[in-house]
Amino acid sequence: MIVGAAALALAVGSAPMPDSAGICRQIKDYAQPYISSQNFAGVVVVERRGRTLCELAAGKAAPGRDQPIDFNTRFHIASMSMQFTAAAILRLVEARKLTLETPVSGVISDFPNGSAITIGHLLTQTSGISDINELPDYDQVLQHHQTAATLVDKVKDLPARHAPGGSYSREEHSAYNVLALIVERRTGLPFSKAVEQLVFKPLRMRDSGIDDDRPIPGPVALGNHPVGATGLEPAEHFLWSGKTGSGSAYSTANDQRRWLRGLFHGDFLSPATRAIMFNLDSRVGYGWFKFNSRRFDTIVYSMNGRSPGFASAIVHLPDQDLSVVVLSNIYSSVTTQLGDDIAAIALGQTVPQVVLRNTPLTQIQRAEVEGVFHFGPTFYQANADVRVASQGDDLALHWPSGDTSILLPLAGDRFMDRSYWVPVSLVRDPGGHVVQLKYDDFLGDRKAR
């Protein structure tokens, strides 16, 4: 690897800094290794109790160009778009054009089982609708212009996963495609125009929008895909209209400030509606994840997004009135860890820094890891056989889905998946032979060669 060990061995001080300038220095020191190793390029904004604690911009808006990223650069935010879709629906609820109990059939008359699926089910991703992202031809869907109606047509007749209601089980992108169509039907406007009127204009988010495949004005970040341990290449082309409602929004750091301030403190939504949105019994709903964090000893609301070329994350601690926004034009889930760790730094917690090796693994070291590892039914890809193989001087994970992600060597038998930013480690038998691969909290057994 070309990354120097000294740059990657920075540590965050254990004592909280007394002022925002000191906190910001810690945050920038913490982020620098991710920037220098080309695992993060983008913006970070940290706000607490209505004031900015820190802001950071790093990298280029487009590969091979000199235009630097700044706080008015437009980033695609992928699944974080669901927040805007949910907000548009809630604005319609407050205008008495919908209720949370309104059945889908009351708006989309030919939707199967639409009388049993409510707006509330869609917002909390408990509708049971089959997910469009799992269609065998989903990659082709993204190569052609779509609308909310065409996306709904692609999934409405697929078998349901389960009956409407119950607990959240997995992300339902299709539910938010349906919500986008409902917004269109109730407003009489294309989804992009409806969200502009219902959400962006009231909050003065002038640089945010819904990508419906028309040119986006102003400075726009182009996406990058990780290559090898430290390289980047332009992300593959696709049309964002294929993610209408579930992942087609773009925004800026400055607009994200306006969004958070308006959502949590302004009169954009009534207190009663805000309570419905955030006082969830489940951990998912209205474009947010809600959980009781052991790390912060309080309730945390978060969301992240990841689509080819881009990754994003947002963290909000209501008890501390602390928000962290991370937007990146590199396709890596490192943004989620950055959001959590930066929130911890802002609260004076000690955050250990990742330390990457500054020399590549030898051929012998790679050979002892290479092989196929079988994971069980609860793994991210159920019953997956994941192959570890050399890719030049690096080790790569080859997934059944066809995706490939590079393993960044840490100390000893530990690695980091560069694409998903998940810890990976080796498990050896008493003789020192690698017998299992631990990916996050899952163990995969090495198959006989």
Side-chain angles (χ1 to χ4, degrees), residues 375-379 381-383:
F375 290 84
T378 60
F379 189 53
Q381 295 182 25
N383 301 307

Side-chain angles (χ1 to χ4, degrees), residues 103-116 152-153 156-157 178 181-182 185-186:
V104 171
S105 60
V107 186
I108 308 172
S109 59
D110 60 343
F111 197 90
N113 204 29
S115 61
V152 171
D153 282 343
K156 69 179 185 180
D157 294 325
V178 176
L181 182 56
I182 289 171
R185 295 282 175 87
R186 278 294 185 259

Side-chain angles (χ1 to χ4, degrees), residues 190-399:
F191 182 67
S192 60
K193 293 295 185 183
V195 176
E196 181 182 354
Q197 295 295 325
L198 292 167
V199 181
F200 299 142
K201 278 191 174 181
L203 294 174
R204 296 184 295 111
M205 298 171 65
R206 301 182 184 92
D207 297 322
S208 298
I210 302 299
D211 190 339
D212 55 7
D213 304 335
R214 291 180 296 176
I216 299 173
V220 180
L222 300 183
N224 297 280
H225 186 83
V227 178
T230 58
L232 296 172
E233 66 181 11
E236 60 266 34
H237 172 76
F238 69 93
L239 297 178
W240 288 91
S241 63
K243 298 178 179 291
T244 299
S246 65
S248 58
Y250 59 87
S251 190
T252 69
N254 284 332
D255 272 2
Q256 286 294 295
R257 302 177 211 261
R258 299 180 182 101
W259 162 247
L260 291 169
R261 290 170 182 172
L263 184 64
F264 288 102
H265 298 293
D267 57 2
F268 172 68
L269 295 174
S270 69
T273 300
R274 191 182 289 121
I276 292 170
M277 190 175 189
F278 293 111
N279 293 344
L280 284 172
D281 292 330
S282 63
R283 68 183 184 92
V284 175
Y286 304 91
W288 291 90
F289 291 98
K290 173 188 176 183
F291 59 99
N292 197 341
S293 169
R294 292 183 181 178
R295 182 177 194 178
F296 299 113
D297 193 28
T298 189
I299 294 293
V300 173
Y301 295 97
S302 67
M303 188 55 178
N304 54 63
R306 188 173 180 270
S307 285
F310 295 90
S312 55
I314 191 168
V315 180
H316 181 73
L317 284 67
D319 287 350
Q320 301 287 344
D321 195 9
L322 173 69
S323 298
V324 179
V325 176
V326 185
L327 308 178
S328 177
N329 66 334
I330 296 177
Y331 186 51
S332 169
S333 294
V334 69
T335 49
T336 300
Q337 179 171 325
L338 286 173
D340 289 343
D341 285 352
I342 289 171
I345 295 170
L347 295 176
Q349 295 184 12
T350 298
V351 177
Q353 184 59 268
V354 64
V355 180
L356 302 176
R357 288 170 56 108
N358 64 342
T359 57
L361 297 175
T362 66
Q363 184 177 358
I364 294 174
Q365 289 172 322
R366 296 196 307 274
E368 68 174 349
V369 185
E370 292 177 329
V372 177
F373 297 83
H374 180 76
F375 290 84
T378 60
F379 189 53
Y380 297 111
Q381 295 182 25
N383 301 307
D385 283 343
V386 179
R387 183 168 61 92
V388 181
S390 291
Q391 187 168 303
D393 290 335
D394 303 310
L395 280 173
L397 295 176
H398 296 268
W399 298 86

